[in-house]
Amino acid sequence: MLAESGKLDRRELTRVLLEDRGEMAVIAGLGAPAWDITAVGDHPLNLPLWGGMGAAAMIGLGLALAQPSRRVLVLTGDGEMLMGLGALATIAVKKPKNLSIVVQDNEHYGETGMQETATKYGVDLVAMARGAGFARTMSVTKPDEVAALKAAIHAGEGPFFAVAKIDAASKKLVLPPRDGSIIQNRMREAILGPAAHHQL
Amino acid sequence: MDPNAIDKAPDAAAAWPDQIYDLLKKHGIRQVCLVPDAGHSRLIKRCLADNEITVTTLTTEEEGIALMQGAWLGGDKAVLLMQSSGVGNCINMLSLSHIHRCPMPMLVTMRGDFGEFNPAQIPMGNATQAVLEAMGTLVRRADTPEDIAPTVDATIRMAFNTFRPTATLIGQRVIGAKTFGKD
């Protein structure tokens, strides 16, 4: 699971976190997390985002509130999370038991030329989440911590927030469907059944 | 309502805040998200008192666009309540509605619109309709109390029947501008 840099391999981490996912819905922030969840196996319960930078955590909240008995994972990057930090306060106040947020932190804007993000300079997203009121958080840097991270996502009580420090190297581009209406409506059908398309 | 509050709330006798609440119930709205506005204060109270509506107070209005996307994924209908200044915070995020064809109804109380006292409200108030329409939102105005309920009804219907962002702008003429006795 380690890259040559000694940091976690993002795609291997994603594969492990989503293995045996059951009915869990996954929202992936735009860019590499969206390619990652697609590379490890496209799925009707995946919403890989093509845009809306800063939206991933709040989309997760809206879904978690609508489907309180279903686990919801937001998998996103450090740049995307930094753009929507207010969501940490909003989510901490609502305390959705079924929502987990995992930031794959490579300390760079990977889609735009690998410019450094604030986390490269020590901005601590886990401390921000704790300050907002997240009672359960993790900071993951080593392979032997990933099992506990996976357990928290799949079986722990939310809201849960974690940062996993990952290797910055880009991986093979694996693109999800580009028509967002398909991505949205296949998830709605997977959750709501055929009524998803007839609801008024 | 705090008499020293800078924003003005609707008169206690005004029927339209309760009419909007009744429309939310009629259309089966399950999630209401908002950045507070005095114009919506009574509607917000009614929603908070309703156990079948989940109210989420946002730190910025663009969070509400994302929240409506998530609610729709999970089968909940949602609306966003905000003041016209908050519309400016939503603009890029409205692309989510077009990317996914997600219904996103917005109920906007206007400032900087009719007899405004505060210079800071004018730039965004004057631009509200133009920027919403530039992002493909169907915008309808209500400038009399009697117009509000039918316009909100149409805004909610057009969002959920045609899968796009829609907005009712409740004109400042309806609520009136506060002047601090300094006309």
Side-chain angles (χ1 to χ4, degrees), chain A residues 27 47 49 52-55 58-59 61-63 65-67 86-87 89-90 94 180-181 184 187-188 191-192 199-200, chain B residues 31 54-59 63 66-67 69-77 92-93 95-96 99-102 161:
Chain A
I27 311 294
L47 189 92
L49 283 159
M53 187 162 177
M58 284 302 299
I59 295 175
L61 177 64
L63 175 53
L65 293 174
Q67 292 286 321
T90 305
K94 295 306 287 181
S181 67
Q184 171 189 264
M187 182 184 280
R188 280 175 50 83
I191 292 174
L192 304 166
Q199 183 180 342
L200 287 175
Chain B
Q31 294 197 39
T54 301
V55 177
T56 300
T57 302
L58 312 161
T59 69
E63 289 178 8
L67 186 109
Q69 174 67 71
W72 184 243
L73 283 168
D76 271 3
K77 291 178 168 178
N92 177 56
M93 211 55 101
S95 60
L96 288 174
I99 295 168
H100 302 113
R101 290 178 53 76
C102 180
N161 289 337

Side-chain angles (χ1 to χ4, degrees), chain A residues 58 61-62 65-66 89-96, chain B residues 21 24-25 29-37 40-59 63-64 67 71 76-81:
Chain A
M58 284 302 299
L61 177 64
L65 293 174
T90 305
I91 292 166
V93 170
K94 295 306 287 181
K95 293 190 169 36
Chain B
Y21 172 79
L24 299 185
K25 299 302 286 181
I29 303 299
R30 298 291 306 275
Q31 294 197 39
V32 171
C33 51
L34 57 98
V35 173
D37 177 68
H40 279 315
S41 53
R42 197 191 326 161
L43 174 60
I44 293 168
K45 270 187 195 159
R46 297 280 321 260
C47 292
L48 285 168
D50 187 331
N51 289 330
E52 291 176 346
I53 293 178
T54 301
V55 177
T56 300
T57 302
L58 312 161
T59 69
E63 289 178 8
L67 186 109
D76 271 3
K77 291 178 168 178
V79 302
L80 169 58
L81 311 181

